[in-house]
Amino acid sequence: MIENENIKIPLDVPAKSRNRYRDNYLRITKGRERLMLFAGDQKAEHLNDDFFGEGIDREDNDPEHLFRIAASSNIGVFATQLGLIARYGMDYPSVPYLVKLNSKTNLIKAEQADPRSPLWIDVPQVVEFMESSKLDILGVGYTIYLGSEHEGEMLSQAARLVYQAHQAGLVTVLWVYPRGRAVADERDPHLIAGAAGVALTLGSDFVKLNYPAGAEEDRADLFKEAVQAAGRTKVVCAGGESTDARLFLQRLHDQIHISGAAGNATGRNIHQRPLDEAIRLCNAIYAITLDNASVDWAYRLYSGE
């Protein structure tokens, strides 16, 4: 557990917002400086591909499935767009939220045009919504496609939103993915480390990165470069496509205890399962991330043994 006085509050958090920032940071990390982020922003990012089809439980096609999981599981924060929160949040006021400020669909492929994902809403609007709705909004998030010909626009927007969020005492998470026609291999570990460093220069509290490519036994070591390059910006790893639960939990354990990552941001691997199984997997991920549980113990928790 981290004590209040040991939190390094960024200098762009003004005196009037320091208590709110400290409280939000402690709550989003459960006082352990690690983040278990349940990602529910794919309704825009991947359209209905992640919610309906072979291997996906039919419950997942109902958007409320995301909120049922978030309300019934151990998580640090549930990240999704403000519109979804506005439509369902009145029935789930106990959920800790992170508002995703930008998104794009997957219809335009990188070989057709470089990705561009400008703001949908800005931080002052989030603050207004937080105050009027009385919901538990702890932070904001934003995606940058590094290497896109539009990266300048996204970097500029990210810099401003991190500053504005800190001014309001909110925690920030940047999704930073190398992607576009200038990027030969977006899973290159050295390039991912560069993306981590960019998130640090933007002043973000956390950065969500893809796990590098490579043999499974080597990936955790390769990811160390990104964790070190991020400095005081904490690294969380994207969950990726749905996979075997045991392999997923082992990979998460290695990311934290070998690479030195500070948590995970998981969506599809959780919400594509039936509600009861999704809750059990959420709790197993939380146990590894926040409670330093072993893979065996977490897998038993997931299995219901």
Side-chain angles (χ1 to χ4, degrees):
M1 299 291 290
I2 185 171
E3 301 296 332
N4 283 357
E5 61 270 17
N6 293 330
I7 299 175
K8 290 189 180 296
I9 299 177
L11 294 177
D12 54 357
V13 178
K16 65 180 181 179
S17 299
R18 288 174 70 86
N19 286 338
R20 174 182 281 181
Y21 175 89
R22 183 185 292 109
D23 181 60
N24 286 340
Y25 188 85
L26 285 170
R27 293 175 63 218
I28 207 170
T29 64
K30 305 301 183 183
R32 295 169 174 87
E33 286 203 288
R34 289 185 189 163
L35 178 61
M36 193 290 185
L37 184 149
F38 174 40
D41 59 328
Q42 301 95 352
K43 295 296 279 188
E45 297 288 344
H46 303 155
L47 298 179
N48 223 35
D49 295 346
D50 282 353
F51 299 92
F52 187 88
E54 185 178 354
I56 301 173
D57 190 84
R58 292 298 293 265
E59 287 183 75
D60 202 18
N61 199 41
D62 179 359
E64 196 165 357
H65 183 59
L66 297 169
F67 289 83
R68 295 184 184 113
I69 296 169
S72 304
S73 307
N74 292 327
I75 61 171
V77 74
F78 173 44
T80 193
Q81 292 87 358
L82 188 141
L84 273 172
I85 299 171
R87 299 301 303 186
Y88 292 91
M90 69 288 288
D91 294 328
Y92 299 92
S94 65
V95 171
Y97 293 104
L98 181 140
V99 179
K100 187 75 185 302
L101 299 180
N102 71 327
S103 284
K104 70 170 192 61
T105 75
N106 59 357
L107 289 176
I108 301 175
K109 306 304 179 185
E111 59 269 19
Q112 179 183 351
D114 276 5
R116 176 177 178 267
S117 187
L119 285 170
W120 286 13
I121 57 171
D122 57 27
V123 174
Q125 288 174 304
V126 172
V127 173
E128 289 177 3
F129 175 78
M130 176 179 66
E131 293 173 349
S132 64
S133 69
K134 308 301 182 185
L135 290 178
D136 196 15
I137 296 174
L138 305 181
V140 295
Y142 182 91
T143 299
I144 301 166
Y145 295 104
L146 206 62
S148 165
E149 63 181 343
H150 306 291
E151 72 167 23
E153 175 188 9
M154 290 178 279
L155 288 167
S156 177
Q157 289 186 349
R160 290 197 299 272
L161 77 85
V162 168
Y163 183 82
Q164 291 173 341
H166 283 170
Q167 290 285 303
L170 296 172
V171 176
T172 59
V173 181
L174 295 180
W175 284 235
V176 185
Y177 302 142
R179 192 166 300 167
R181 285 171 290 188
V183 177
D185 180 7
E186 62 184 62
R187 296 293 183 128
D188 175 70
H190 188 59
L191 184 56
I192 291 171
V198 169
L200 173 65
T201 68
L202 293 167
S204 186
D205 301 297
F206 292 89
V207 57
K208 178 187 176 189
L209 302 170
N210 278 324
Y211 205 34
E216 192 65 39
E217 63 270 18
D218 298 330
R219 296 170 80 185
D221 278 326
L222 292 171
F223 200 45
K224 288 179 180 178
E225 182 186 354
V227 174
Q228 185 176 29
R232 290 183 176 176
T233 292
K234 301 291 186 180
V235 171
V236 297
C237 200
E241 296 179 357
S242 291
T243 189
D244 172 75
R246 174 83 191 205
L247 174 61
F248 181 86
L249 294 172
Q250 181 65 61
R251 189 177 291 162
L252 170 61
H253 188 273
D254 292 348
Q255 289 162 358
I256 292 172
H257 295 286
I258 298 177
S259 306
N264 69 98
T266 307
R268 287 168 284 182
N269 265 290
I270 294 171
H271 66 69
Q272 289 184 346
R273 305 170 191 265
L275 180 61
D276 179 67
E277 184 182 357
I279 292 169
R280 285 186 278 110
L281 183 56
C282 239
N283 292 341
I285 292 169
Y286 182 97
I288 289 177
T289 305
L290 279 305
D291 297 332
N292 285 325
S294 68
V295 176
D296 286 342
W297 194 94
Y299 188 72
R300 287 197 297 271
L301 184 65
Y302 160 72
S303 301
E305 297 178 3

